[in-house]
């Protein structure tokens, strides 16, 4: 309740009285105790101010900006693209932040994040947990797209990617891919891959 009233106070003082809300956001954002206040504030101001706040947050903390994304009444395509591009660039340049990028893109949760999530999945994601988080987030947005990505990964020469994809097919119950797994197990020679195919076919009740 305190956060709610605090957000309305900021709105009345810095927004309705035409004071510089940018300076106030920059002042409060580094302080974690104000996170929920700003989150609420994004949802109670008008479209233009909401976009301005998100753009300020992108420069200060893009992960927090993504968290605030769903609270905004309506964001412009420019603001959305700016946020997604910023997160994608971080994912490309820093493996240490890959988890934060995946979670932030999921917070946005629109079709526009499928491409950067796919790039993470196929080019920068060798960790089993990261892989399955990413494909799970993609499937929530578009199950058909997730299955298409996994089908393409069945052609991968990278054993780690291949096994991760096979596991995900079983876990996500991609029954449309069942015959491809059956074909794969007939020709595959790697025992680890064969074992994973057998497990996934079991999950699919093949």
């Amino acid at each position: 309740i305190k956060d709610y009233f605090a957000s309305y106070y900021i709105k009345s003082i810095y927004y309705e009285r035409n004071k510089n809300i940018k300076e106030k956001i920059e002042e409060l954002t580094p302080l974690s105790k104000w996170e929920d206040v700003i989150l609420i504030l994004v949802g109670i101001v008008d479209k233009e101010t909401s976009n301005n706040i998100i753009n300020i947050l992108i420069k200060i903390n893009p992960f927090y900006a993504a968290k605030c994304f769903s609270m905004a009444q309506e964001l412009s395509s420019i603001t959305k693209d700016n946020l997604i591009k910023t997160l994608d660039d971080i994912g490309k340049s820093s493996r240490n932040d890959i988890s934060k990028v995946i979670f932030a893109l999921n917070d946005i949760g629109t079709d526009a994040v499928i491409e950067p999530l796919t790039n993470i999945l196929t080019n920068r994601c060798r960790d089993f947990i990261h892989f399955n988080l990413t494909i799970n987030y993609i499937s929530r947005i578009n199950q058909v797209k997730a299955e298409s990505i996994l089908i393409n990964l069945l052609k991968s020469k990278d054993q780690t990617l291949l096994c991760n994809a096979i596991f995900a097919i079983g876990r996500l119950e991609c029954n449309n891919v069942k015959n491809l797994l059956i074909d794969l197990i007939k020709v595959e020679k790697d025992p680890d891959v064969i074992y994973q195919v057998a497990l996934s076919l079991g999950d699919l009740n093949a």
Side-chain angles (χ1 to χ4, degrees), residues 5-170:
F5 284 112
S7 64
Y8 267 90
Y9 174 78
I10 294 173
K11 178 177 181 286
S12 65
I13 297 298
Y14 291 90
Y15 166 55
E16 293 175 352
R17 300 184 187 180
N18 295 319
K19 291 192 175 184
N20 194 336
I21 199 169
K22 177 178 182 292
E23 292 181 0
K24 196 62 182 177
I25 296 298
E26 290 174 342
E27 175 190 337
L28 297 180
T29 300
L31 307 175
S32 60
K33 65 181 181 181
W34 287 95
E35 285 187 358
D36 289 340
V37 174
I38 296 174
L39 195 67
I40 295 169
L41 181 65
V42 171
I44 62 176
V45 293
D46 63 36
K47 176 182 175 181
E48 181 181 356
T49 306
S50 184
N51 275 270
N52 288 339
I53 293 173
I54 295 294
N55 280 309
I56 293 167
L57 294 177
I58 289 171
K59 295 177 182 178
I60 301 172
N61 185 342
F63 304 118
Y64 180 56
K67 185 178 180 181
C68 293
F69 179 90
S70 63
M71 293 296 293
Q73 293 185 28
E74 185 180 351
L75 291 181
S76 70
S77 58
I78 294 174
T79 301
K80 293 177 186 176
D81 291 345
N82 183 25
L83 176 55
I84 293 170
K85 184 181 185 304
T86 299
L87 292 169
D88 192 32
D89 288 344
I90 293 172
K92 290 176 181 176
S93 62
S94 175
R95 286 191 176 275
N96 293 332
D97 288 324
I98 200 72
S99 293
K100 292 181 180 178
V101 172
I102 294 170
F103 289 133
L105 290 171
N106 179 59
D107 284 336
I108 297 171
T110 66
D111 286 344
V113 305
I114 291 179
E115 182 176 348
L117 283 174
T118 302
N119 290 335
I120 290 173
L121 196 71
T122 56
N123 300 317
R124 304 190 294 277
C125 193
R126 292 297 181 272
D127 179 86
F128 176 81
I129 295 175
H130 287 160
F131 182 97
N132 282 283
L133 272 175
T134 305
I135 194 64
N136 186 52
Y137 291 155
I138 294 173
S139 70
R140 289 181 188 176
I141 300 169
N142 190 323
Q143 175 74 18
V144 174
K145 180 63 177 179
E147 289 188 8
S148 175
I149 293 167
L150 292 172
I151 288 172
N152 286 331
L153 288 177
L154 290 180
K155 305 170 187 175
S156 176
K157 301 299 182 183
D158 184 313
Q159 187 204 52
T160 301
L161 268 180
L162 180 58
C163 285
N164 284 343
I166 294 168
F167 174 86
I169 288 169

